[in-house]
Amino acid sequence: MRLALIGLAILFLAAFLALPLVAVFSQALAKGVGAFLKGLADPDALSAIRLTLTIAAIAVPLNLVFGVAASWAIAKFNFRGKSLLLALIDLPFSVSPVISGLVYVLLFGLHGSFGPWLRDHGVQIIFAVPGVVMATVFVTFPFVARELIPLMQEQGVEDEEAAIVLGASGWQTFRLVTLPNIRWGLLYGVLLCNARAMGEFGAVSVVSGHIRGKTNTMPLHVEILYNEYNFVAAFAVASLLALLALVTLAAKAALEWRFADQIAAAKR
Amino acid sequence: MAIEIRNVEKTFGAFTALGGVSLDVRSGELLALLGPSGSGKTTLLRIIAGLDHADAGEVSFDGQDTRDRAARDRKVGFVFQHYALFRHMTVFDNVAFGLRVKKKAERPAEMDIRRRVDQLLTMVQLSHLASRYPSQLSGGQRQRVALARALAIEPKVLLLDEPFGALDAKVRKDLRKWLRHLHDDMHITSIFVTHDQEEALELADRVVVMNHGQIIQVGTPAEVYDHPADSFVFDFLGGVNRLNGVIEAGVARLDGKAVRVDGAVGADGPAVIYVRPHQVELGVAPADGVPDGKWSARVSSLHAAGPVARLELDLAGRALEAQLSRDRLSDLALEVGSWCTVDFRHARVFPAKS
């Protein structure tokens, strides 16, 4: 029975995860390493890579700060509207990414609520980098907070109270006591948030406008290339994206292995 | 440092944790807050520390109102029930924490911090474990680290929340004795919360008995034990026989016979007579019936290990526990099933709760 279950799980994973992953890399290298590198060296592809990294570099730190602040508030204090805040944090998970993108178009697009005002002041959000960043921040918001809230709730407030009674300021308490207590959960949250920020398609697709070399991110660029039947280049970029995901997973596993005893101690 | 608490009130939603509590804590004493869970004792301790805020009333330290002093400025040492040690820091760093977070102007040099922490760890007999992490320590060791950490900031008052609650019986007894010695050496005003009456009576200079957010009685352990203010205190201190009787015309009666009682008798009606086991006087049953004014009972079980013998008696269908010396027991020549007379040296009576 146990063998059958394990076998089933492995078979399922092989068919639905491993096989496509192998396919991505084999397609990318189908016409040799030269074609693969050429696909990546294309100026539009380089621009897409640069934009994706920029977006992650903005969205992840923002959500790190927001996520920690929101979890702190929810886990350690009681206030009116707490369950509303919790529901709002989950909103990006429950709403289709396309809708998240559309909301920004409705707000900041040319015909949107703030559109005319923004145009008069020479600010462009939709079909520009700011819009792409905002959509990504929205979609990746829950990752850090969702990771931290249960952890912080379980840890309670005694450690913080102990620090305060010993004379620590609020900031010292956070830096010396709270942050070390949540660092592993925080790291997981950041890694997941980063993976999603780089891979987000739906919301970004709606707000970006697909302007090559300007507002195209890696996932969007893959789609464009694919639609142009430029398979090798499409899979070359896709394989790079997949590689980023694999590196993220490997980093997580390595950290878990390296610091297993500390993680266990932190949970006690 | 002396602490004055005046009419402190605190509610959590619909629950009244403290309903107007006043108390004077004398400088240098070791005070126990004793009561069942929900009696408000921990809330009172947290209000003194500044971790909770009273809805009304005031707490002052040496005559100075503490309302505007945040917890971090109060210089209180607080030992949490589950120790709240910082799990990512070594024992040494835990104890040094309070010194290292001081403002630059007040912070001792690192060398002085080392010396002070070493001193404290020697005092709690944990110098050899300075570089361990809390998860590598036993419960009793963690408790001592928590205590050393609280003492590092040289607090004017030491507050302990159920300090022995999470320890097993043996460690508990040792640590209790050790804490008493420590207090005798340092004479720092200390307040500890407990629901264990034995702990409170054995350790404290004075005991404050609390129930339902009120202080029921304050006194030395002997005063509280010998002269409980009411039936709650009697019940809570435990080890007492409760016998259902009546009060008639100002006299307490059990099975029609008058009971000599200490203190007020109360209004006529159903009543409960409280007698401690060692206040039960047993005598040899005479051949020709029971002497006037005494009761008769049959021995239902007998435990005679140690210097004191404990007897379970059957007094007209009621269970009654009695304690007497082994010598007295052999004088009486009692065994299971034999009859004896019963009298009460000291008893108290309270109207039965309807």
Side-chain angles (χ1 to χ4, degrees), chain B residues 15-53:
Chain B
F15 176 72
T16 304
L18 291 172
V21 163
S22 298
L23 178 68
D24 283 308
V25 183
R26 296 171 195 154
S27 187
E29 77 173 332
L30 179 53
L31 189 79
L33 298 180
L34 174 69
S37 58
S39 59
K41 55 195 192 307
T42 296
T43 305
L44 185 57
L45 197 74
R46 289 174 57 87
I47 287 174
I48 295 170
L51 292 171
D52 272 332
H53 296 279

Side-chain angles (χ1 to χ4, degrees), chain A residues 34-65:
Chain A
F36 174 82
L37 289 177
K38 211 173 129 237
L40 287 182
D42 177 71
D44 286 347
L46 284 177
S47 155
I49 294 168
R50 209 175 305 126
L51 182 60
T52 292
L53 293 176
T54 310
I55 289 168
I58 299 171
V60 172
L62 272 181
N63 275 338
L64 173 79
V65 174

Side-chain angles (χ1 to χ4, degrees), chain B residues 108-126:
Chain B
E110 188 61 27
M111 223 177 65
D112 295 326
I113 291 180
R114 286 199 164 272
R115 203 168 44 227
R116 175 103 186 102
V117 173
D118 284 338
Q119 216 175 21
L120 283 161
L121 286 177
T122 309
M123 187 187 73
V124 298
Q125 299 149 15
L126 287 175

Side-chain angles (χ1 to χ4, degrees), chain A residues 159 161 164-165 172 176 268, chain B residues 46 72 76 87-88 101:
Chain A
D159 283 13
E161 286 181 346
I164 285 167
V165 171
Q172 281 173 325
L176 301 173
R268 256 197 294 267
Chain B
R46 289 174 57 87
R72 65 175 293 216
V76 296
R87 62 203 105 188
H88 59 282
V101 297

Side-chain angles (χ1 to χ4, degrees), chain B residues 77-275:
Chain B
F78 201 104
V79 176
F80 290 82
Q81 186 176 2
H82 301 289
Y83 323 130
L85 295 178
F86 306 130
R87 62 203 105 188
H88 59 282
M89 293 182 200
T90 61
V91 167
F92 186 95
D93 290 338
N94 262 284
V95 177
F97 186 89
L99 300 172
R100 286 182 175 153
V101 297
K102 278 178 192 281
K103 291 190 199 79
K104 224 174 196 143
E106 301 165 26
R107 194 189 312 150
E110 188 61 27
M111 223 177 65
D112 295 326
I113 291 180
R114 286 199 164 272
R115 203 168 44 227
R116 175 103 186 102
V117 173
D118 284 338
Q119 216 175 21
L120 283 161
L121 286 177
T122 309
M123 187 187 73
V124 298
Q125 299 149 15
L126 287 175
S127 320
H128 59 296
L129 299 176
S131 56
R132 295 274 186 92
Y133 285 90
S135 59
Q136 299 167 312
L137 304 181
S138 72
Q141 289 168 338
R142 286 183 208 182
Q143 176 65 282
R144 270 145 50 202
V145 176
L147 200 61
R149 184 178 69 174
L151 291 171
I153 59 169
E154 296 180 333
K156 296 206 184 94
V157 53
L158 185 62
L159 307 173
L160 307 106
D161 187 8
E162 296 274 2
F164 314 110
L167 301 170
D168 56 61
K170 169 85 172 74
V171 179
R172 216 173 165 130
K173 278 229 155 105
D174 292 347
L175 211 54
R176 209 190 279 171
K177 253 183 236 156
W178 180 82
L179 185 69
R180 181 69 235 188
H181 286 308
L182 189 77
H183 182 266
D184 292 343
D185 289 345
M186 304 191 18
H187 277 298
I188 172 171
T189 309
S190 307
I191 306 175
F192 72 98
V193 157
T194 182
H195 61 265
D196 181 340
Q197 36 84 20
E198 194 190 317
E199 198 166 284
L201 295 177
E202 195 184 305
L203 188 55
D205 295 324
R206 289 197 305 155
V207 178
V208 177
V209 186
M210 295 183 70
N211 192 29
H212 295 310
Q214 300 286 347
I215 289 178
I216 309 294
Q217 188 173 10
V218 183
T220 63
E223 280 165 6
V224 173
Y225 188 82
D226 293 336
H227 306 286
D230 67 5
S231 57
F232 166 79
V233 180
F234 233 129
D235 273 335
F236 195 73
L237 294 183
V240 67
N241 291 298
R242 311 173 72 223
L243 305 166
N244 291 318
V246 288
I247 299 172
E248 282 171 2
V251 179
R253 290 181 182 277
L254 183 65
D255 295 341
K257 295 180 178 124
V259 183
R260 274 177 288 116
V261 296
D262 303 346
V265 173
D268 284 8
V272 181
I273 295 154
Y274 288 83
V275 193

